[in-house]
């Protein structure tokens, strides 16, 4: 347990007052499903129900409202994977300030459209780069060239102050919290909420949760400073940054008791579970804190637990990928390159002899060689139960099928699947 923080340098009270008429006090709800599953009291801080469907409005509006009229007259710029952009756009319209928003090209269309909707005629959206870090670089160049004001997604004390109001609301609604699970991207939310909890609820154990494919805060804490993590998995777009903030790191290293990584597939399974069981729609980053609970199941029995659900800006077009990643993580979806014998009935024998009664072929595609001859077939098989995998492999070998399994960690998987 970290020591209690006594002087954060953050203006909590002033920030709350600035945000009072703009930001919604989101509900802290008891999840009966999760509470029964983990034999404890699990509360969800529903920032997915915020006005812009994420907590990002808090930091963006706080910083912009503290700019001088002269600064605002020059216009403001931000870079965002989506949620900060929406909070920024809403703030531009509310304050009637012209804003320019840089977003990665891969940003889901739903987030781009929502950003334009919240900002109306007050914002311009520019899509550039493949990651947040790429578009942030372009945004900073544009800011300097046009003498405007940059509103960062996380790395500023005014942003951190705004996000800290999430923690203020939690402690307004509930006391004696044993565990607090926070999603971590650039570190703004965890810096603000974590610092506030260390000051006003120091007994609470604070767990920062990152996607396994983008462990930038974990690597920063290991190194003692922010470091660049190359080749990150960009799937959890709201939390996939190559490098956490310099300012946020200084707060997080003292506020977070532990960092925990969650596989992207587990995050996808959590998204589907929340939707199917409780009709809660979350984006990948919004599921991070809940996805970590399995790994703390023994520790949280009988405890009071709060998970921050950070956002719900999920594009319906991504649901197929979410389901696919979940099935692979759960061991229910497998891919093979199968070199069928060149004789009649080979495929029929594969289906009748190799596959079990509950196995489904969900993808079948012959690969074409350079000389346009038919090559092996890419076969995707979905199982009913995880344990059916051993029987499937046994039958492939028993019937002497010429196959190669393609696993998610293989380079070939990215090209073919």
């Amino acid at each position: 347990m970290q020591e209690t923080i006594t002087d954060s340098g953050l203006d909590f009270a002033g920030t709350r007052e600035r945000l009072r008429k703009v930001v919604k006090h989101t509900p802290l709800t008891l999840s009966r499903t999760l509470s029964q599953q983990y034999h404890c009291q699990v509360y969800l801080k529903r920032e997915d129900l915020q006005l812009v469907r994420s907590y990002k409005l808090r930091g963006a509006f706080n910083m912009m409202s503290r700019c001088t009229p002269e600064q605002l007259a020059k216009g403001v710029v931000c870079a965002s994977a989506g949620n900060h952009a929406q909070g920024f756009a809403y703030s531009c319209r509310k304050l009637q300030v012209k804003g320019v928003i840089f977003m990665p090209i891969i940003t889901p269309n739903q987030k781009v459209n929502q950003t334009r909707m919240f900002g109306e005629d007050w914002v311009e959206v520019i899509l550039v780069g493949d990651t947040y870090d790429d578009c942030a670089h372009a945004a900073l160049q544009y800011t300097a060239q046009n003498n405007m004001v940059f509103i960062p997604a996380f790395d500023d004390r005014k942003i951190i102050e705004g996000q800290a109001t999430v923690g203020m609301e939690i402690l307004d609604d509930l006391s004696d919290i044993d565990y607090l699970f926070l999603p971590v991207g650039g570190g703004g939310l965890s810096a603000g909420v974590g610092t506030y909890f260390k000051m006003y609820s120091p007994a609470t154990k604070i767990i920062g949760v990152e996607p396994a494919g983008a462990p930038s805060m974990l690597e920063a804490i290991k190194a003692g400073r922010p470091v660049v993590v190359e080749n990150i998995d960009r799937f959890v777009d709201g939390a996939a940054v190559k490098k956490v903030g310099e300012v946020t790191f200084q707060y997080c290293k003292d506020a977070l008791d532990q960092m925990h990584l969650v596989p992207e597939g587990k995050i996808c399974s959590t998204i589907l579970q929340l939707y199917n069981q409780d009709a809660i729609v979350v984006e990948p980053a919004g599921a991070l804190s809940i996805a970590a609970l399995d790994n703390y199941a023994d520790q949280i029995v009988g405890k009071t637990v709060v998970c921050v659900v950070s956002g719900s800006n999920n594009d319906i077009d991504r649901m197929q990928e979410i389901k696919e990643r979940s099935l692979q993580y759960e061991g229910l979806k497998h891919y093979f390159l199968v070199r069928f014998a060149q004789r009649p009935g080979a495929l029929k024998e594969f289906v009748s002899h190799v596959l079990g009664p509950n196995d489904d072929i969900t993808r079948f595609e012959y690969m074409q060689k350079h000389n346009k001859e038919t090559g092996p077939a890419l076969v995707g098989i979905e199982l009913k139960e995880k344990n059916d995998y051993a029987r499937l492999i046994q039958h492939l070998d028993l019937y002497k099928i010429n196959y190669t399994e393609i696993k998610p960690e293989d380079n070939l998987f990215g090209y073919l699947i």
Side-chain angles (χ1 to χ4, degrees), residues 66 177 206 228 274 298 351:
R66 294 181 68 177
I177 299 168
I206 303 175
V228 176
L274 288 168
D298 294 338
V351 174

Side-chain angles (χ1 to χ4, degrees), residues 63-261:
M63 183 170 182
M64 289 171 63
S65 64
R66 294 181 68 177
C67 291
T68 65
E70 291 76 20
Q71 288 176 316
L72 293 180
K74 297 175 181 177
V76 289
V77 181
C78 85
S80 170
N83 287 341
H84 177 56
Q86 292 178 59
F88 174 93
Y90 184 95
S91 300
C92 285
R93 179 166 59 87
K94 191 77 173 177
L95 296 169
Q96 296 192 334
V97 176
K98 189 66 178 178
V100 180
I101 302 168
F102 285 76
M103 305 177 79
I105 295 171
I106 62 167
T107 303
N109 288 332
Q110 184 265 356
K111 289 188 176 182
V112 176
N113 295 334
Q114 286 291 109
T115 298
R116 290 179 173 138
M117 184 271 292
F118 284 123
E120 296 181 351
D121 295 333
W122 292 98
V123 299
E124 175 189 359
V125 176
I126 299 175
L127 301 179
V128 61
D130 292 326
T131 66
Y132 165 79
D133 304 85
D134 295 334
C135 78
H137 179 71
L140 288 170
Q141 283 187 325
Y142 183 92
T143 303
Q145 291 168 358
N146 293 276
N147 194 29
M148 298 170 76
V149 178
F150 186 70
I151 308 296
F154 47 82
D155 202 25
D156 188 280
R157 284 184 174 82
K158 299 182 186 69
I159 299 292
I160 294 170
E161 288 170 348
Q163 321 309 25
T165 58
V166 173
M168 300 173 77
E169 291 178 7
I170 293 172
L171 291 179
D172 284 346
D173 296 340
L174 186 67
S175 58
D176 299 322
I177 299 168
D178 297 302
Y179 283 82
L180 173 65
F181 289 84
L182 294 169
V184 179
L189 179 70
S190 49
V193 176
T195 299
Y196 188 80
F197 261 73
K198 283 303 174 190
M199 294 179 68
Y200 297 102
S201 184
T204 302
K205 193 173 185 67
I206 303 175
I207 313 297
V209 188
E210 286 183 306
S216 54
M217 184 62 76
L218 178 63
E219 293 302 319
I221 290 174
K222 285 181 181 178
R225 58 182 176 80
V227 294
V228 176
V229 179
E230 298 291 355
N231 302 317
I232 62 172
D233 187 330
R234 298 188 290 268
F235 174 74
V236 186
D237 51 311
V241 299
K242 291 183 178 181
K243 182 181 179 183
V244 299
E246 299 285 347
V247 178
T248 57
F249 171 73
Q250 294 304 318
Y251 285 99
C252 288
K253 68 181 177 63
D254 295 325
L256 300 178
D257 294 301
Q258 290 181 13
M259 281 300 304
H260 182 72
L261 302 183

